Amino acid sequence: MSDLLSGPVEAAAGLAVYGADAVDKAAPASTRDALVKAGVPGKLAGKDASLWGPDAEAEAKIRLGWVDTHRRSRELLVQLAELTAELADLDHVVLAGMGGSSLAPEVITRTLGRPLTVLDTTDPGQVRAALGDRLERTVVVVASKSGSTVETDSHRRAYWQAFLDAGMTEAEAGRHFVIVTDPGSPLEATAVEMGAFTVIADPNVGGRYSALTAFGLVPSALAGVEVAELLDQADALATSLGADQNNPALALGAALGAAATLARDKVALVSDGTGIDGLGDWAEQLIAESTGKAGVGILPVVVESPQSPGATGADVLTVSYGGALAPGDMPGGGANPDVAVNGPLGAQFLAWEYATAVAGVVLGIDPFNQPNVTESKENTNKILASGLPAETPSFTEGAIEVYAPQGAPGDLAGALRWLLDGLGDDGYLAVMAYLDRFADADTAQLRSLLAQASGRPVTFGWGPRFLHSTGQYHKGGPQVGSYLQVTGAVAEDLAVPGKPYTFGELQAAQAAGDRQALAGRERPVLRLHLTDRAAGVAQLLDAAGDLRA
């Protein structure tokens, strides 16, 4: 901690970055100096699409709007005020969105203490619970940049049918929807047919960079957030983005890039407890999907607390985040990080976006595309059309069916130990749970238990939510991952209105499609299917807790 306090601090507009200079100086040559010499700060602030090479230039030209979208987003404020007043009687806000369409508003509302139900799942139990909660007082924000996201379309269909089943006319049902999408998307036309309110988003901003566009602001405003403050915070920081000095976003980006070039290519994201809640989940998608491709990348590892296993390691850069520090507060909040980032939420969003783009320059990759995301989607569509592949468990133990790769031991504890022992010195384990993240919430404890047992970085993702986040890194990043997939029996399924499949079938197809994509890279995938979810989760946690590093 003393190193953070004694070293240079990069600060602007209330955002401070501690420790970045020491990370940069650990490299044989200063990454930051090289970036400044190449004019990167000014070029990025000026939206120079050539920064990531000729192959990325066409994509970058239509994806750099995030640099100043916070200024254009002010044009939404009047519309948002009118919309909030019009829908004042609908006080239960549900956000149906995936990845970049849901992660930022979840951080905003959690941090500012406003209620928001985020529906980013195909688990029938979780969807059913949302549908049964204050339906007559619900407004559903359907958010999809492309307008064709299968999960979001399924949510829209389910809510539309639920409103009609509750006795509403189609005109009345339409009033319960707000559609956020890009201009000209299929969802824009659907919104007109539904009679729904429509807010058009900035088309020159990719989903994971869209925190300060309509995707982040509409659900947050409806939930009661004064979103103009976020724009003010970002705008204050924006004046520093073209500078060579006193540019905290540049310092952060240079540190991320420098660490990755020194084989510290895993970034542990730790909240320091100073008032920003859940930013790690948002930054996880931003970093993983932006950098994990062409066999390189930075793997974000969201850890539960500064004391949690997996926050440190020889190949791990530990970065804490939080709100502005009060006088006398220590950076990191006890996390003892390599880098600490503190400041207001609106500035945090812009700083991490800028830093991720800078890390892309250092790594020589395009931070705006996601070439491997469609792979699991295509597999899912094929499975929905042809049916789930027939699979026989390797063995069954208690409430868990185990589907293990060849060579794995024939008991649950042995199979888990085998998976961990195969990680090696540079590997990581991804736990992927296709379950209900509320009813089956205890499953998330697997991350820390397996990190403790393995001594290696372990990530945790709820499926299919993570497919829109770390899923890109799993397939496009360094092929050093091992994968633990957890699925569960569906006690009561739920139809997707107008489609020939149920939510349970869609969830199972997404899990199977992702398994196929991962197995095709010859990486180990261990699947555990819980025949009884509650009993299976308890059994699995016991088995993981008994493992020893």
Side-chain angles (χ1 to χ4, degrees), residues 1-363:
M1 194 64 64
S2 60
D3 292 341
L4 289 179
L5 290 174
S6 61
V9 178
E10 289 280 342
L15 185 86
V17 173
Y18 306 83
D21 184 66
V23 176
D24 183 49
K25 286 183 177 177
S30 169
T31 298
R32 177 171 178 156
D33 287 350
L35 291 166
V36 169
K37 185 176 180 180
V40 170
K43 290 179 180 179
L44 183 49
K47 303 187 200 177
D48 187 334
S50 68
L51 282 169
W52 301 275
D55 291 342
E57 190 164 354
E59 180 85 22
K61 281 181 179 178
I62 59 172
R63 290 291 177 261
L64 280 166
W66 57 269
V67 172
D68 57 2
T69 195
H70 56 276
R71 293 171 185 154
R72 291 187 298 282
S73 288
R74 292 190 184 280
E75 299 171 6
L76 294 172
L77 296 179
V78 172
Q79 184 181 7
L80 291 178
E82 293 173 347
L83 189 59
T84 301
E86 172 67 25
L87 301 176
D89 58 316
L90 304 180
D91 58 358
H92 178 219
V93 184
V94 174
L95 172 58
M98 302 299 297
S101 298
S102 65
L103 291 167
E106 187 168 38
V107 176
I108 293 167
T109 53
R110 283 171 60 182
T111 296
L112 299 176
R114 303 305 303 172
L116 178 68
T117 297
V118 176
L119 196 57
D120 56 358
T121 183
T122 49
D123 186 86
Q126 191 173 333
V127 175
R128 187 184 301 277
L131 291 169
D133 184 13
R134 296 165 286 171
L135 185 67
E136 72 285 352
R137 291 159 46 197
T138 293
V139 56
V140 185
V141 181
V142 181
S144 171
K145 183 175 177 65
S146 68
S148 59
T149 308
V150 64
E151 299 95 337
T152 305
D153 179 65
S154 299
H155 301 149
R156 179 190 63 81
R157 291 169 178 272
Y159 264 101
W160 180 259
Q161 189 63 51
F163 289 135
L164 297 183
D165 289 346
M168 296 183 193
T169 66
E170 290 191 351
E172 290 169 337
R175 181 179 178 271
H176 286 255
F177 288 91
V178 176
I179 306 298
V180 183
T181 191
D182 274 8
S185 82
L187 189 54
E188 183 182 14
T190 300
V192 174
E193 296 173 6
M194 295 170 61
F197 298 98
T198 306
V199 181
I200 298 300
D202 189 336
N204 293 316
V205 180
R208 56 189 177 273
Y209 290 81
S210 66
L212 298 172
T213 72
F215 288 107
L217 302 182
V218 171
S220 301
L222 289 172
V225 173
E226 295 293 335
V227 295
E229 294 182 9
L230 297 169
L231 302 180
D232 291 342
Q233 294 160 359
D235 199 34
L237 179 70
T239 59
S240 71
L241 297 185
D244 295 342
Q245 300 296 326
N246 297 317
N247 184 342
L250 174 64
L252 177 59
L256 293 174
T261 61
L262 294 173
R264 298 177 74 185
D265 57 353
K266 287 87 174 173
V267 175
L269 299 168
V270 190
S271 170
D272 67 7
T274 57
I276 292 182
D277 191 359
L279 186 71
D281 292 332
W282 171 82
E284 177 184 52
Q285 185 205 15
L286 176 68
I287 296 169
E289 202 169 57
S290 296
T291 70
K293 58 201 71 170
V296 300
I298 300 170
L299 176 69
V301 182
V302 180
V303 299
E304 300 78 10
S305 72
Q307 294 74 38
S308 296
T312 60
D315 55 348
V316 176
L317 182 75
T318 305
V319 181
S320 68
Y321 62 84
L325 297 177
D329 283 352
M330 301 285 279
N336 195 26
D338 300 298
V339 177
V341 185
N342 288 89
L345 184 56
Q348 289 267 8
F349 284 138
L350 183 57
W352 282 94
E353 289 166 354
Y354 182 101
T356 300
V358 168
V361 174
V362 176
L363 295 176

